[in-house]
Amino acid sequence: MLCTRCRIRTAVTDEGLCTFCSGTRPPLPEGSTALVPGPGGWGVGTWPRSPVALSRAVTVLLGVVIATDLFALVTGLRMRYLWDRLATDGGMAVYGEGGASAERLYLVSGNVQSLAFLVTAVVFIVWFHRTRRNAEVFDPSVQRMGPGWAVGGWFVPIANFWFPYRVAAGIWEASARPRPDEGLREVPRTPLNLWWAAWVGTLLLARVSGRMWERAEEPAEIVRAAGLVAASDALDIVAAVLAILFVRAVTRMQVERAAHSLAPAPERNAPVATM
């Protein structure tokens, strides 16, 4: 039977919980010792590992995404203006040299935009997986999905609108530094919720605008489609900014949590290594 809380591991208690969710981890093997913090508060040779370097790389790449979105937004609005001239007063500039140049820039912006997104997505998922593995050390009881879903959850159709959020919620809860009395500290999920709402909105709007653009044939239809594509680019900029805030918040919390107390409390009756 699976654990009634995480629905991932095998239940071992009468309450239907696994060893992680019930807090009853097995004792360490004889002769081994608990995890010892390394330089900077992070464990040596095992989890958790510092996400700081990866978070900086993700932040820089998200900045690149924002820049490419702005490029696509400007070129897209230029294209919309030329087609709008044709639709409203019969202006033929869209078929001239200016229109051809605007179209070339628009195609280039789309290619650069796609490349920036792919590179950023890879590094972001690596950072996401690392913070999820760290969360397993900090507090496994609040993890709703296993570490593998930090990667696989993004590639499951339909479920990718929800699974990564569940993983992120567990990371957020586990990364919050405990209060001095060791009680749980509630940290508002505002950065997480805003980022995820903007991200899902971007995905949906991009799909709708992409289909409209492909089907548009008349000038008026192209104008409407171009306007929706521009709105999608603008929303993607908002999502990228919120993603930066989310990445920085989680990284900061994990650094504080590691500095506060990394080594897990020793199990009662667990063998202790002696000199």
Side-chain angles (χ1 to χ4, degrees):
M1 183 180 70
L2 293 178
C3 174
T4 57
R5 178 177 296 174
C6 67
R7 298 290 182 180
I8 299 173
R9 306 177 185 87
T10 303
V12 296
T13 67
D14 295 337
E15 293 79 12
L17 301 177
C18 64
T19 56
F20 285 86
C21 293
S22 63
T24 57
R25 294 191 184 190
L28 296 172
E30 184 175 358
S32 62
T33 59
L35 177 66
V36 177
W42 298 95
V44 177
T46 184
W47 304 103
R49 295 174 59 188
S50 174
V52 173
L54 280 172
S55 72
R56 291 172 179 167
V58 172
T59 300
V60 171
L61 288 172
L62 285 169
V64 174
V65 168
I66 293 172
T68 60
D69 284 339
L70 286 172
F71 182 30
L73 181 60
V74 171
T75 57
L77 290 176
R78 173 63 178 170
M79 284 291 297
R80 183 183 184 279
Y81 169 76
L82 293 175
W83 281 104
D84 186 55
R85 287 279 306 277
L86 177 63
T88 56
D89 56 19
M92 302 298 291
V94 70
Y95 292 113
E97 182 60 29
S101 176
E103 185 175 0
R104 285 195 297 270
L105 282 176
Y106 192 47
L107 292 175
V108 169
S109 70
N111 293 332
V112 172
Q113 196 177 26
S114 299
L115 179 61
F117 173 80
L118 288 175
V119 175
T120 303
V122 170
V123 180
F124 178 89
I125 290 175
V126 173
W127 170 86
F128 195 60
H129 181 259
R130 175 165 298 184
T131 55
R132 173 58 185 84
R133 292 295 299 268
N134 289 345
E136 191 76 18
V137 176
F138 294 143
D139 189 353
S141 66
V142 298
Q143 304 310 312
R144 299 165 181 82
M145 306 190 74
W149 286 110
V151 177
W154 298 96
F155 302 99
V156 181
I158 307 300
N160 56 8
F161 285 94
W162 178 243
F163 281 8
Y165 177 82
R166 285 175 59 84
V167 175
I171 294 172
W172 188 272
E173 292 181 34
S175 301
R177 179 178 174 182
R179 298 195 305 267
D181 61 358
E182 298 301 327
L184 296 178
R185 185 183 69 167
E186 293 292 335
V187 179
R189 295 187 190 176
T190 304
L192 167 60
N193 293 336
L194 289 177
W195 161 64
W196 191 251
W199 168 247
V200 172
T202 298
L203 291 179
L204 296 176
L205 189 57
R207 291 184 181 182
V208 174
S209 61
R211 290 177 181 177
M212 284 188 62
W213 180 261
E214 292 174 356
R215 297 174 181 176
E217 296 181 356
E218 297 298 324
E221 295 176 344
I222 295 176
V223 170
R224 288 193 295 270
L228 200 58
V229 171
S232 175
D233 291 333
L235 184 56
D236 194 56
I237 292 173
V238 174
V241 171
L242 293 172
I244 290 174
L245 297 178
F246 168 70
V247 169
R248 290 173 62 87
V250 170
T251 302
R252 182 177 62 254
M253 288 194 298
Q254 291 207 344
V255 170
E256 292 176 352
R257 182 68 187 264
H260 172 71
S261 177
L262 177 65
E267 299 285 346
R268 183 174 297 181
N269 299 325
V272 178
T274 58
M275 296 297 295

mmCIF file of all heavy atoms in Angstrom, residues 84-93:
data_model
loop_
_atom_site.group_PDB
_atom_site.id
_atom_site.type_symbol
_atom_site.label_atom_id
_atom_site.label_comp_id
_atom_site.label_asym_id
_atom_site.label_seq_id
_atom_site.Cartn_x
_atom_site.Cartn_y
_atom_site.Cartn_z
ATOM 1 N N ASP A 84 -1.978 46.517 -40.419
ATOM 2 C CA ASP A 84 -3.120 47.344 -40.052
ATOM 3 C C ASP A 84 -3.303 48.476 -41.064
ATOM 4 O O ASP A 84 -4.440 48.851 -41.398
ATOM 5 C CB ASP A 84 -2.930 47.910 -38.642
ATOM 6 C CG ASP A 84 -4.152 48.660 -38.156
ATOM 7 O OD1 ASP A 84 -5.251 48.068 -38.155
ATOM 8 O OD2 ASP A 84 -4.016 49.841 -37.775
ATOM 9 N N ARG A 85 -2.188 49.028 -41.545
ATOM 10 C CA ARG A 85 -2.262 50.061 -42.584
ATOM 11 C C ARG A 85 -2.956 49.515 -43.832
ATOM 12 O O ARG A 85 -3.775 50.197 -44.470
ATOM 13 C CB ARG A 85 -0.853 50.535 -42.941
ATOM 14 C CG ARG A 85 -0.184 51.412 -41.901
ATOM 15 C CD ARG A 85 -0.659 52.844 -42.009
ATOM 16 N NE ARG A 85 -0.485 53.367 -43.363
ATOM 17 C CZ ARG A 85 0.653 53.876 -43.832
ATOM 18 N NH1 ARG A 85 1.736 53.931 -43.041
ATOM 19 N NH2 ARG A 85 0.729 54.341 -45.064
ATOM 20 N N LEU A 86 -2.614 48.278 -44.185
ATOM 21 C CA LEU A 86 -3.225 47.662 -45.355
ATOM 22 C C LEU A 86 -4.705 47.402 -45.130
ATOM 23 O O LEU A 86 -5.535 47.596 -46.042
ATOM 24 C CB LEU A 86 -2.508 46.347 -45.693
ATOM 25 C CG LEU A 86 -3.075 45.532 -46.857
ATOM 26 C CD1 LEU A 86 -2.962 46.325 -48.162
ATOM 27 C CD2 LEU A 86 -2.352 44.198 -46.974
ATOM 28 N N ALA A 87 -5.062 46.958 -43.914
ATOM 29 C CA ALA A 87 -6.454 46.615 -43.622
ATOM 30 C C ALA A 87 -7.349 47.844 -43.519
ATOM 31 O O ALA A 87 -8.539 47.776 -43.867
ATOM 32 C CB ALA A 87 -6.523 45.809 -42.331
ATOM 33 N N THR A 88 -6.832 48.960 -43.049
ATOM 34 C CA THR A 88 -7.660 50.139 -42.795
ATOM 35 C C THR A 88 -7.702 51.122 -43.966
ATOM 36 O O THR A 88 -8.776 51.620 -44.324
ATOM 37 C CB THR A 88 -7.174 50.867 -41.536
ATOM 38 O OG1 THR A 88 -5.782 51.195 -41.682
ATOM 39 C CG2 THR A 88 -7.369 49.999 -40.306
ATOM 40 N N ASP A 89 -6.552 51.431 -44.577
ATOM 41 C CA ASP A 89 -6.558 52.436 -45.635
ATOM 42 C C ASP A 89 -5.865 51.984 -46.917
ATOM 43 O O ASP A 89 -5.541 52.791 -47.790
ATOM 44 C CB ASP A 89 -5.916 53.739 -45.146
ATOM 45 C CG ASP A 89 -4.502 53.525 -44.611
ATOM 46 O OD1 ASP A 89 -3.886 52.494 -44.938
ATOM 47 O OD2 ASP A 89 -4.029 54.390 -43.851
ATOM 48 N N GLY A 90 -5.608 50.661 -47.003
ATOM 49 C CA GLY A 90 -5.044 50.138 -48.237
ATOM 50 C C GLY A 90 -3.575 50.422 -48.439
ATOM 51 O O GLY A 90 -3.066 50.267 -49.569
ATOM 52 N N GLY A 91 -2.848 50.806 -47.400
ATOM 53 C CA GLY A 91 -1.417 51.057 -47.513
ATOM 54 C C GLY A 91 -0.665 49.812 -47.923
ATOM 55 O O GLY A 91 -0.855 48.746 -47.324
ATOM 56 N N MET A 92 0.200 49.916 -48.917
ATOM 57 C CA MET A 92 0.898 48.754 -49.461
ATOM 58 C C MET A 92 2.333 48.630 -48.960
ATOM 59 O O MET A 92 3.122 47.875 -49.522
ATOM 60 C CB MET A 92 0.897 48.850 -50.993
ATOM 61 C CG MET A 92 -0.488 48.939 -51.608
ATOM 62 S SD MET A 92 -1.493 47.453 -51.260
ATOM 63 C CE MET A 92 -0.628 46.256 -52.255
ATOM 64 N N ALA A 93 2.662 49.341 -47.878
ATOM 65 C CA ALA A 93 4.038 49.306 -47.381
ATOM 66 C C ALA A 93 4.465 47.916 -46.951
ATOM 67 O O ALA A 93 5.652 47.571 -46.998
ATOM 68 C CB ALA A 93 4.190 50.280 -46.205
#
